[in-house]
Amino acid sequence: MLIIMKVPVMFLLFSIPTMLFAQNNRVNLLIGTYTHTGKSKGIYVYDYDLLTGDATLKSSVESDNPSFITVSSDTRYVYAANENGEGKGAVSAYALDAASGKLTFLNRQLTQGDSPCHVVTDREGTHVVVSNYSGGSISVFPIQPDGSLGAMKQLIQHEGSGPNRDRQQKPHVHSAFFSPDQKRIYVQDLGTDKINIYEYHPESQDTPLVPALHPYAKSAAGGGPRHIAQSSDGRYVYLVQEMTAQVLVYRQDNGKLEPIQEVGINEDGFSGSNGAADINLSPDGRFLYASNRGDANTLAIYQVSPADGKLAKVGNQSVLGRGPRNFSISPDGKFLLVANQNTDEVVVFARDSKTGLLNDTGNRIAVGAPVCLVFASL
């Protein structure tokens, strides 16, 4: 049962770092997939209508397990983490023609870490940072003038373990996100229950990432840090913990993260297995969403307090499928799309900007093992 809460008239704005602008109410939607299932072949580019929520396939390119992708801020280039093991983990670079949606392969670099599962680029387009899950490391590559990737500049190996002997026997780096001011990068390590914090120095020839004065923030023991969302001013960081399906809220002060709240994703009485995955703020910052896979297959909806960044649970929404690996909110905030990996489709929800609640539009995008959804302006 959903509990609807009134939202105050005045609130502090939180937002996605860069608002995308649509051309004729249309944007590109890029989908990364797992190809080892045999149901998909790589990366897919769709024309997405911001008025209706309809998506039409524009192009695709073959790629090996491009499970997570990112688009440069100028939308000219795409970078994909090729999530493979046995020394074959890699990151691939593509040129994107926004009008046609065509992706042209540029080059590929090995990450020197197995199972790269997340990739991010800085706002100025100077570096790509890849998170190696099985390798427990992060790889940093310079971006060349033509958008291709240069030789690896830095490889940082994490150390340590966590209390869960089955899942936390060693580091498992799951994601890396730049702070809104681009001065720091937060690296989530599921295996060690830490958010590792690095200062970012893009001008450095050898070490663009340097441990910060406050080099890490702990999560709950056995929580399993996975992804974060950040307020637009960087004051608040929201961490989704995969193994406990809890969201941990931090207040950021001069680079130090102080935990101030922990809230559950699941509905009251839930006793099944967890697999919390993704977390995102609405473009206006008034609502936060977090996904849980496992036996739940729901999105939790929270209202964000404008006073202190804390969360109040609004309710849970079924994702109408299985394995909500990743989800994305359209640039205008009107739609929320969920990549249901295990049921081979993307489900499109309409989002109420006043209540944060979601309604099924009936729109579906059929694609094998969808993992990552990224909007890019035309």
Side-chain angles (χ1 to χ4, degrees), residues 6-13 286 303 306 354:
K6 292 183 179 180
V7 180
V9 175
M10 297 299 294
F11 56 89
L12 174 66
L13 284 179
R286 296 169 64 181
Q303 179 185 328
K354 294 181 180 179

Side-chain angles (χ1 to χ4, degrees), residues 3-9 286-287 303-304 306 312 314 354-355:
I3 301 174
I4 301 175
M5 306 181 71
K6 292 183 179 180
V7 180
V9 175
R286 296 169 64 181
F287 296 95
Q303 179 185 328
V304 181
V314 174
K354 294 181 180 179
T355 66

